């Protein structure tokens, strides 16, 4: 029962984290930049926002973005962070699918616990990989962007990426390390025995 609860906790945390990774990948508010000194930018009330897909200008009543479509002139760190975040978002799909198929409420015939255990471990490993991709991208991007321009603060997209990476790493580690052994995986469920004539045998459990 404890292993099942831990598995569910890891799945929920990982799913929420994966959604956060997708949000971070698709939005552009990674870092808030300033093309002048901080004092000048505050007086002009004009700041910049830099992300994976566009550079934006934020001012009073104005929010204009310039898409970063020319791959040949993009800095290497932007292209690398794009690839890492896309890879993380794509890896989450098979990971979530594998983990859904081994949830306690899902049954696929008389499948042995060993097969479910292997799918669970594979899903957990994929979650750890996508979390590492997110961690590298969300650290590499602001460090490299700071070398080009002055960063005033981090944007909500970057915070979303950090939180999503942490949740995926947390959930993946729980699933890999706390799912129990292969023989007893998924066998601690209650079921109703069919054709039982005695009330005391109506409900059985595998321990």
């Amino acid at each position: 029962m404890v292993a099942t609860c831990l598995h569910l906790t890891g799945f929920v945390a990982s799913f929420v984290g994966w959604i956060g990774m997708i949000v971070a990948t698709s939005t552009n508010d990674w870092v808030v930049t300033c093309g002048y000194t901080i004092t000048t930018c505050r007086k002009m009330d004009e700041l910049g926002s830099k992300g994976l897909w566009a550079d934006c200008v934020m001012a009073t009543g104005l929010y204009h973005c310039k898409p970063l479509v020319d791959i040949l002139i993009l800095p290497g760190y932007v292209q690398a962070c794009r690839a890492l975040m896309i890879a993380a978002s794509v890896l989450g799909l098979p990971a979530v699918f594998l983990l859904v198929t081994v949830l306690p409420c899902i049954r696929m015939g008389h499948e042995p616990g060993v097969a479910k255990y292997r799918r669970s471990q594979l899903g957990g490993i994929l979650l750890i990989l996508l979390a590492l991709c997110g961690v590298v991208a969300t650290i590499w991007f602001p460090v490299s962007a700071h070398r080009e321009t002055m960063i005033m603060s981090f944007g909500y997209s970057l915070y979303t990426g950090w939180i999503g990476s942490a949740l995926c790493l947390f959930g993946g580690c729980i699933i890999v390390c706390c799912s129990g052994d292969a023989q007893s995986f998924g066998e601690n469920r209650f079921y109703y025995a069919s054709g039982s004539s005695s009330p005391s045998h109506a409900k059985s459990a595998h321990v």
Side-chain angles (χ1 to χ4, degrees):
M1 188 64 182
V2 175
T4 301
C5 293
L6 288 174
H7 187 274
L8 287 173
T9 301
F11 172 75
V12 172
S14 301
F15 183 78
V16 174
W18 177 50
I19 297 299
M21 298 285 284
I22 294 175
V23 172
T25 304
S26 58
T27 53
N28 291 304
D29 192 16
W30 279 53
V31 291
V32 178
T33 60
C34 177
Y36 311 98
T37 63
I38 296 178
T39 304
T40 303
C41 288
R42 286 175 177 171
K43 288 182 179 179
M44 296 175 60
D45 195 19
E46 181 177 327
L47 298 173
S49 176
K50 190 176 182 66
L52 297 177
W53 311 102
D55 287 340
C56 302
V57 176
M58 300 179 294
T60 304
L62 174 66
Y63 188 84
H64 175 70
C65 292
K66 177 185 177 183
L68 303 175
V69 294
D70 197 343
I71 299 178
L72 297 178
I73 63 174
L74 281 179
Y77 76 90
V78 175
Q79 299 186 43
C81 291
R82 277 184 180 181
L84 287 170
M85 293 302 291
I86 291 173
S89 300
V90 172
L91 283 174
L93 189 60
V96 169
F97 175 77
L98 289 171
L99 294 177
V100 166
T101 61
V102 298
L103 287 176
C105 56
I106 302 296
R107 286 192 177 184
M108 302 177 66
H110 298 285
E111 188 178 27
V114 175
K116 295 180 180 180
Y117 178 81
R118 290 174 180 171
R119 289 206 307 272
S120 174
Q121 293 294 293
L122 180 58
I125 291 172
L126 289 176
L127 288 172
I128 293 175
L129 287 177
L130 77 88
L132 293 178
C133 289
V135 168
V136 172
T138 53
I139 293 177
W140 190 359
F141 188 91
V143 171
S144 298
H146 183 63
R147 296 173 181 173
E148 292 185 343
T149 183
M150 182 177 296
I151 294 179
M152 292 192 64
S153 63
F154 300 136
Y156 76 90
S157 301
L158 197 63
Y159 287 116
T160 304
W162 282 337
I163 295 172
S165 299
L167 287 175
C168 287
L169 185 61
F170 172 73
C173 290
I174 287 181
I175 291 170
V176 171
C177 301
C178 304
S179 294
D181 59 274
Q183 297 298 327
S184 62
F185 184 82
E187 295 298 327
N188 56 339
R189 306 175 189 173
F190 289 97
Y191 68 93
Y192 286 91
S194 59
S196 177
S197 57
S198 175
S200 62
H201 293 88
K203 192 175 183 180
S204 304
H206 289 291
V207 179

